[in-house]
Amino acid sequence: MGVDVFFVISGFVVSASIASFRGRGLGAFLAYFYARRIKRIFPALIVCLLITAYVSALFIPSSWLSAVNQQTGLYAFFGLSNFILARTGRDYFAPTTEFNPYTHTWSLAVEEQFYLVFPFLFLAWLASRRGRWWSVGLFGVGLVASVGFAGWQSVASPTAAYFLSPSRFWELAAGVLLYQLITLRPALTELPAAKPRGLLGLFSLALLLAAFFVSTPQRFPMPGALLAVLGTLGVIYSLHLRDDLHRLHRLLGCRPLVAVGKISYSLYLWHWPVFVLFRWTAGLDSAPLRLLAVALAFGLAVLSYRFVENPFRHGVLRRAPQAAVIVCGLLVIAGGWWLAARMADNLHRLSLSTLSAHQDVWYPHGPATRDGFPGCTAEPEYHDVEGGLLLSYEPRGCAEPRPLSPNALYVIGDSHALAYEGLFKQYAIARSVRINAYNNGGCPFISLQPWRDLDNADCRRYADAALRHIRARIQPGDVLFLPSLRIPRFSDQWAYFGEASARAQMFGDEADAGRARAIADAIEVLQPFVEQGVKVVFEAPKPLFKAPPFRCADWFNEANPVCAPGFEMPRSLLEEFRAPVINGYAQLAQTLPSLRVWDPLPALCPAEVCSAWRGESPLYLDGDHLSGYGNLQLFQSFDAFFGSSLDNDAILSGDRLVGNCDL
């Protein structure tokens, strides 16, 4: 709601601030306008972005989504961060948003993009009386078009509607039009008595406050933002040029509110990075930590206002030629971006996290070489498959070249397939085999939970594309390996969901019916492969944990509340959750008797209590994705099963898995 209020005020204030321009010509007006915008926006923004980039490099460990965070920060230098957030599908109300220190810059990006068109729509206003009505018409047409577009996109593509300028233009244009109309029609501000205007102001204020309580993320920004926009317009209209409304002016113009208003831009810039850095380190769950975060945000905002914002607005650049301000401003913006990009590239050198110091141990990509095979590497080649990702592994650069195995390993799955990267590289080198891994993060393949893949149109489309690509290439004797997340998470990188939530998804009539539907679909998909002589192998579910090790591995985050659920799980509990999946495999084997299952659990959990750690080394990066060290611990089991046991005794028998290597 605060963003919507800001957009309306911004449209009104920027119109009023340049209405006094007396120059001639488009060039003079553009120089005047953009020099003012550069002085107002960029000094404080660049300082904030650079400091945030540096502190983030120190304390935020690289994770699955850190690249998007860095991209958001880099795009923010040019007012384009909203495009990154919209493109990656990051819902503003999703937990991931709360861990990106640059998320808040989307609204400034919308405003900056509005400034690209504003001068051209407003220029007629400065030309003549008739031109003023032309300007009103242009903004009016834009507002109506934006309202219609926002209404459609809020349903068709809610994330894009929330972040992108076309569906937000109407909020800024509403503020512009209010200024224009009360300027063109002074009578609108000259009601004979203060009472009607005061009542309208109080009603508008009540409407605005109500928006903070009744609005929801659904159908946003249209009609979700409508109450806030109408309330803000009403408050501004009621108070503009009406000094006789003493009570309303005293209420909204009291010293604390004015003080916050003066530092509001710097506070806007600093509050979110502070909150996000607290979430990544000590946490932001207790009242003392929240108060400390708020106090720190206000302190940084005051310093920014005093030593950055004001000097550049009213001192250092006050008498500089406008062209010089624009040219120098653009150079400084580009320089700030370059410096932030260098920090992002050297995060592993700057970071205080153990993850950066021991990357091969923590990250699933694992070491690039293998003892006994000098010169050999198997770094993946990346290919696009109709919008999906294909990673191809095979040994390269070996001092003693060997022929590739005539049979290849094909892999299709979600991020858990990608998390086997270290294992795939080691196996490709050791067995001189080609591995083609089709990955679509967040989209499991035959998850036995149809709401996750079958009922997801995007996931189904990606899976169909990967299957078409595989069918055109796979040969008899090749292996089709299907690793995916098939039991519900207890937690993710950001939060603990609880055991009850996982149980509700895994057990009960609805879950059983879903698995039955998924099994029928799986038979239809896999039977042609089996009849072709392809060896189909499922992965039995690995252990899952309730806390993410990578967020709890350092002195500055080990006390974070996200670590409290711990890193141990009773094996009996995991077996209980695995049982429906194993039974599902057994049902598949009744129709597809050659189906095989590789079970990584015994290698990862040889005791009655499973741990995410082995000694001081992490088996897992987060609560369910393997670490680089964990990949290495599975190599012997994987190699024994796929390298020598696949053609022998690994079978499904009833509701139990029987194999000659693991069980």
Side-chain angles (χ1 to χ4, degrees):
M1 291 296 99
V3 169
D4 305 298
V5 174
F6 159 72
F7 282 155
V8 177
I9 294 175
S10 181
F12 186 90
V13 170
V14 74
S15 302
S17 69
I18 65 169
S20 60
F21 174 73
R22 294 295 179 266
R24 288 183 175 274
L26 177 61
F29 177 57
L30 292 178
Y32 172 78
F33 179 78
Y34 286 118
R36 286 173 62 93
R37 293 298 90 199
I38 285 175
K39 288 187 288 186
R40 177 72 181 97
I41 292 173
F42 284 99
L45 173 65
I46 292 171
V47 169
C48 179
L49 290 176
L50 288 175
I51 293 177
T52 300
Y54 180 69
V55 177
S56 297
L58 292 179
F59 294 109
I60 298 180
S62 293
S63 61
W64 293 98
L65 302 174
S66 61
V68 176
N69 292 356
Q70 292 166 359
Q71 282 184 318
T72 308
L74 294 175
Y75 274 62
F77 281 93
F78 304 106
L80 299 171
S81 58
N82 58 331
F83 284 96
I84 290 294
L85 295 167
R87 188 187 72 189
T88 55
R90 286 190 167 190
D91 180 0
Y92 182 78
F93 303 98
T96 52
T97 302
E98 297 184 347
F99 290 84
N100 183 342
Y102 308 103
T103 294
H104 66 311
T105 62
W106 77 268
S107 57
L108 183 59
V110 168
E111 186 181 17
E112 291 176 76
Q113 290 156 29
F114 176 75
Y115 291 154
L116 295 178
V117 299
F118 172 84
F120 300 95
L121 301 181
F122 199 82
L123 182 62
W125 177 269
L126 303 172
S128 64
R129 177 77 176 182
R130 179 179 295 180
R132 289 187 170 193
W133 284 109
W134 275 105
S135 181
V136 169
L138 291 172
F139 279 105
V141 169
L143 182 147
V144 171
S146 177
V147 165
F149 182 78
W152 167 74
Q153 199 174 40
S154 294
V155 176
S157 183
T159 300
Y162 194 94
F163 286 120
L164 297 182
S165 298
S167 50
R168 294 289 189 168
F169 178 89
W170 66 278
E171 300 180 53
L172 290 138
V176 176
L177 284 168
L178 177 63
Y179 173 80
Q180 291 181 328
L181 290 174
I182 61 179
T183 302
L184 285 170
R185 289 287 184 263
L188 294 174
T189 64
E190 296 173 1
L191 292 178
K195 187 174 181 179
R197 186 66 68 85
L199 290 175
L200 176 61
L202 288 173
F203 173 78
S204 299
L205 187 59
L207 193 68
L208 177 57
L209 293 174
F212 283 84
F213 295 96
V214 304
S215 296
T216 67
Q218 286 71 43
R219 298 294 300 274
F220 218 94
M222 177 55 66
L226 198 55
L227 280 182
V229 170
L230 293 175
T232 306
L233 289 171
V235 170
I236 296 173
Y237 168 71
S238 301
L239 293 177
H240 186 63
L241 301 179
R242 295 296 302 211
D243 295 336
D244 52 338
L245 298 177
H246 304 297
R247 292 181 179 179
L248 269 177
H249 277 292
R250 281 199 299 269
L251 174 63
L252 296 179
C254 65
R255 287 188 177 182
L257 290 185
V258 171
V260 172
K262 286 183 176 180
I263 65 168
S264 60
Y265 177 55
S266 286
L267 186 58
Y268 154 80
L269 291 175
W270 282 105
H271 81 286
W272 192 254
V274 168
F275 295 166
V276 169
L277 287 164
F278 266 77
R279 290 189 182 101
W280 275 109
T281 53
L284 199 61
D285 299 76
S286 66
L289 286 172
R290 290 175 179 172
L291 289 173
L292 179 59
V294 170
L296 182 58
F298 268 90
L300 290 170
V302 170
L303 291 174
S304 173
Y305 176 75
R306 174 68 178 82
F307 296 108
V308 181
E309 192 178 336
N310 265 355
F312 280 95
R313 286 179 67 191
H314 305 300
V316 177
L317 301 177
R318 187 170 185 178
R319 296 186 179 181
Q322 292 166 354
V325 170
I326 294 172
V327 171
C328 292
L330 293 176
L331 290 175
V332 172
I333 291 167
W337 171 86
W338 181 86
L339 187 56
R342 298 292 73 73
M343 284 190 273
D345 292 341
N346 290 278
L347 185 147
H348 59 287
R349 294 189 178 94
L350 297 172
S351 177
L352 299 178
S353 174
T354 184
L355 275 72
S356 296
H358 305 95
Q359 294 187 46
D360 285 348
V361 172
W362 277 96
Y363 295 114
H365 50 66
T369 59
R370 180 168 180 80
D371 291 343
F373 299 89
C376 286
T377 64
E379 292 296 333
E381 293 182 347
Y382 295 84
H383 308 278
D384 178 82
V385 178
E386 299 183 37
L389 178 64
L390 166 62
L391 292 85
S392 296
Y393 305 84
E394 63 179 76
R396 301 179 184 89
C398 300
E400 299 178 5
R402 296 169 297 152
L404 277 177
S405 169
N407 295 120
L409 178 64
Y410 288 82
V411 183
I412 179 172
D414 55 12
S415 59
H416 290 75
L418 187 64
Y420 278 129
E421 180 175 345
L423 182 58
F424 291 156
K425 288 193 291 190
Q426 295 294 302
Y427 185 74
I429 293 172
R431 290 288 179 174
S432 192
V433 66
R434 179 183 292 111
I435 301 175
N436 295 311
Y438 298 78
N439 173 259
N440 294 294
C443 290
F445 183 71
I446 308 181
S447 70
L448 305 185
Q449 302 170 87
W451 54 90
R452 297 190 61 215
D453 46 10
L454 294 182
D455 300 337
N456 184 311
D458 288 337
C459 289
R460 193 65 188 249
R461 184 172 66 254
Y462 290 142
D464 290 343
L467 287 170
R468 283 193 294 271
H469 204 262
I470 292 172
R471 289 187 187 114
R473 291 159 178 79
I474 202 165
Q475 300 294 323
D478 289 346
V479 177
L480 180 61
F481 178 43
L482 308 176
S484 282
L485 181 67
R486 295 188 172 92
I487 60 178
R489 287 184 172 102
F490 298 100
S491 67
D492 63 7
Q493 296 184 61
W494 324 113
Y496 172 59
F497 307 139
E499 187 177 320
S501 173
R503 283 188 177 279
Q505 296 178 60
M506 198 68 193
F507 302 103
D509 293 340
E510 184 177 354
D512 292 341
R515 273 190 293 273
R517 180 159 63 94
I519 288 169
D521 181 81
I523 291 172
E524 182 179 347
V525 170
L526 297 178
Q527 193 153 21
F529 289 105
V530 173
E531 292 173 352
Q532 185 184 353
V534 172
K535 303 166 186 177
V536 177
V537 178
F538 278 93
E539 169 208 43
K542 298 186 297 293
L544 304 183
F545 297 92
K546 297 181 178 181
F550 86 99
R551 287 197 57 197
C552 308
D554 296 298
W555 59 268
F556 51 81
N557 58 26
E558 61 186 6
N560 193 300
V562 76
C563 310
F567 305 100
E568 293 186 343
M569 290 285 286
R571 181 165 174 164
S572 59
L573 177 63
L574 292 171
E575 293 286 14
E576 180 185 356
F577 274 83
R578 280 167 30 109
V581 180
I582 303 302
N583 290 335
Y585 292 161
Q587 293 176 53
L588 281 169
Q590 292 174 7
T591 304
L592 309 172
S594 63
L595 182 146
R596 303 289 186 261
V597 177
W598 171 62
D599 190 1
L601 186 141
L604 295 171
C605 179
E608 292 303 312
V609 176
C610 302
S611 174
W613 301 80
R614 184 156 293 171
E616 296 184 355
S617 300
L619 291 172
Y620 283 74
L621 177 67
D622 56 24
D624 48 274
H625 292 93
L626 288 173
S627 66
Y629 178 78
N631 269 263
L632 294 181
Q633 302 312 297
L634 284 179
F635 177 81
Q636 184 177 356
S637 169
F638 189 87
D639 181 60
F641 186 89
F642 285 87
S644 61
S645 300
L646 189 58
D647 295 324
N648 298 324
D649 303 327
I651 61 172
L652 280 165
S653 175
D655 61 354
R656 294 181 62 246
L657 287 173
V658 181
N660 65 355
C661 61
D662 290 322
L663 296 180

